[in-house]
Amino acid sequence: MNDFLALPAGPLAATILATVRDTESPAVANHSVRSFLFARLLAEHEGCLADPAYDAGLLFAATVLHDLGLGTRAPGRTRFEVEGADLAAELLTEHGVGAPQVDLVWEAIALHTSPGIAERRGLLAYLTREGVGIDFGRNAHVVTGRHERIHQEHPRLSMVPSLVDAIVEHAARAEEAAAPRYSIAGELLRERREAGVTGLERAAAGTPWA
């Protein structure tokens, strides 16, 4: 890949970027863009770029919009993954993306916190979850030698605590529906209340990006 920092161009890509920049915190928005860059590098690493199921535009939409449910447009009535998927689907539909493609993006976003499930729901869901995971330090070896420039272009800005803050705040709005027990939101909310710090934040201290 000649320019691994390049982002898709065009009206839809510009709208996607503007939406996350306008509705998410800078730390969460940067995390979303890095997730795309890492997912694309993973696709290159695994030889997926020529796979008929690979679509850079859909990958950009799914990864960059995957935390839209933590932004200011999210109503906070159900799980942030589902609200983000719904908001992303609305945006893509408004811009003329076909229903089958919208459904793939919806599924990838809704399942991005579901280990063992997302990986079995097709290439887009797999790459979306894994791109997000690399930004948490999982399988970081895949992007060795390139991560420095990605982090320079899109700084972390205390991403993990900022993301946990956003998830907890969203979850607290409607706990029963937005933070069911054993969901990531439910567990982070419980850990924050009981210990003040979450396991996710503790784990982040031991990652390559700490």
Side-chain angles (χ1 to χ4, degrees):
M1 191 177 300
N2 292 329
D3 186 0
F4 62 89
L5 290 173
L7 301 177
L12 177 56
T15 297
I16 287 171
L17 278 175
T19 298
V20 299
R21 297 292 186 201
D22 291 345
T23 65
E24 298 172 4
S25 72
V28 175
N30 281 3
H31 156 65
S32 299
V33 175
R34 287 194 308 271
S35 295
F36 166 70
L37 296 173
F38 288 147
R40 188 171 61 183
L41 287 173
L42 175 65
E44 178 187 43
H45 176 78
E46 296 191 350
C48 298
L49 297 181
D51 190 313
Y54 178 78
D55 186 311
L58 295 184
L59 182 61
F60 183 74
T63 49
V64 177
L65 297 173
H66 81 271
D67 278 333
L68 203 56
L70 299 175
T72 56
R73 292 188 182 181
R77 291 191 291 267
T78 189
R79 291 178 56 159
F80 79 92
E81 303 98 316
V82 173
E83 290 192 347
D86 288 345
L87 289 166
E90 291 173 11
L91 186 156
L92 296 178
T93 300
E94 288 170 2
H95 283 76
V97 178
Q101 291 73 35
V102 170
D103 191 56
L104 288 173
V105 172
W106 189 96
E107 183 176 55
I109 293 174
L111 294 178
H112 81 270
T113 64
S114 299
I117 300 176
E119 297 88 343
R120 299 187 62 173
R121 295 306 303 161
L123 185 59
L124 182 61
Y126 165 71
L127 290 175
T128 298
R129 174 166 168 76
E130 291 305 306
V132 172
I134 291 172
D135 201 44
F136 279 91
R138 189 173 70 243
N139 296 323
H141 66 279
V142 171
V143 298
T144 297
R146 296 180 178 181
H147 63 88
E148 294 96 339
R149 288 188 60 197
I150 290 174
H151 282 117
Q152 288 171 1
E153 190 75 14
H154 307 284
R156 297 192 71 79
L157 305 176
S158 301
M159 182 273 287
V160 174
S162 295
L163 186 63
V164 173
D165 285 346
I167 293 173
V168 168
E169 189 278 330
H170 180 277
R173 291 190 230 169
E175 287 185 40
E176 186 172 342
R181 192 68 189 270
Y182 307 120
S183 68
I184 189 171
E187 292 306 292
L188 291 176
L189 180 62
R190 179 180 59 81
E191 290 174 0
R192 264 289 178 84
R193 287 175 171 172
E194 292 178 357
V197 65
T198 65
L200 185 60
E201 289 166 291
R202 291 193 186 97
T207 71
W209 318 140

